[in-house]
Amino acid sequence: MVKRSEFRSDLYYRLNVFPVLLPPLRERREDIPALVAHFVEIYGRRMSRQIEHVPETTMSALESYHWPGNIRELQNLIERAVILSNDGVLPNPLPAVGTWLFTLPRLQLL
């Protein structure tokens, strides 16, 4: 990217002092419950909403999802779920299979 002038070389070398290689979320599904709990705590506090329960079906759906947007997508979906939560229960924030939003990452721009 630096050679193609798509990334500033000075910034690259500053960031490259201590590289941290981390596999994508889809390759470390065992981290999802801890990340969900972390984001629920952050957004629950920020929005003054007490989330007391994450249903097994919601957690299972999150662990089974392919995560094309990696952790940023998980973070955004948990924020949405906290906003939509009722009675302290975190709803499943994933779009239903077959909806345009679910297939959005597969779209290609011409």
Side-chain angles (χ1 to χ4, degrees):
M1 288 178 65
V2 172
K3 289 180 183 178
R4 294 187 311 256
S5 298
E6 295 174 353
F7 197 88
R8 288 181 23 208
S9 62
D10 63 314
L11 181 57
Y12 171 78
Y13 291 111
R14 287 180 191 209
L15 296 174
N16 199 30
V17 171
F18 188 81
V20 177
L21 302 176
L22 194 61
L25 187 56
R26 67 183 161 273
E27 293 179 12
R28 48 194 182 94
R29 296 182 188 280
E30 67 277 2
D31 292 347
I32 291 174
L35 290 166
V36 168
H38 173 72
F39 293 135
V40 162
E41 181 181 338
I42 288 173
Y43 292 114
R45 191 175 333 116
R46 187 177 295 171
M47 296 174 201
S48 299
R49 289 181 173 261
Q50 183 72 26
I51 306 297
E52 299 166 358
H53 179 65
V54 178
E56 279 187 43
T57 55
T58 297
M59 189 60 74
S60 178
L62 293 171
E63 291 173 333
S64 299
Y65 186 61
H66 61 284
W67 297 111
N70 217 344
I71 289 181
R72 180 95 24 116
E73 183 180 14
L74 174 64
Q75 182 178 1
N76 291 339
L77 287 174
I78 296 304
E79 182 178 15
R80 178 187 312 167
V82 169
I83 291 168
L84 298 173
S85 66
N86 288 316
D87 302 324
V89 177
L90 190 76
N92 182 349
L94 291 169
V97 175
T99 64
W100 72 272
L101 189 57
F102 191 84
T103 58
L104 188 59
R106 295 185 184 125
L107 292 177
Q108 293 181 349
L109 299 176
L110 298 177

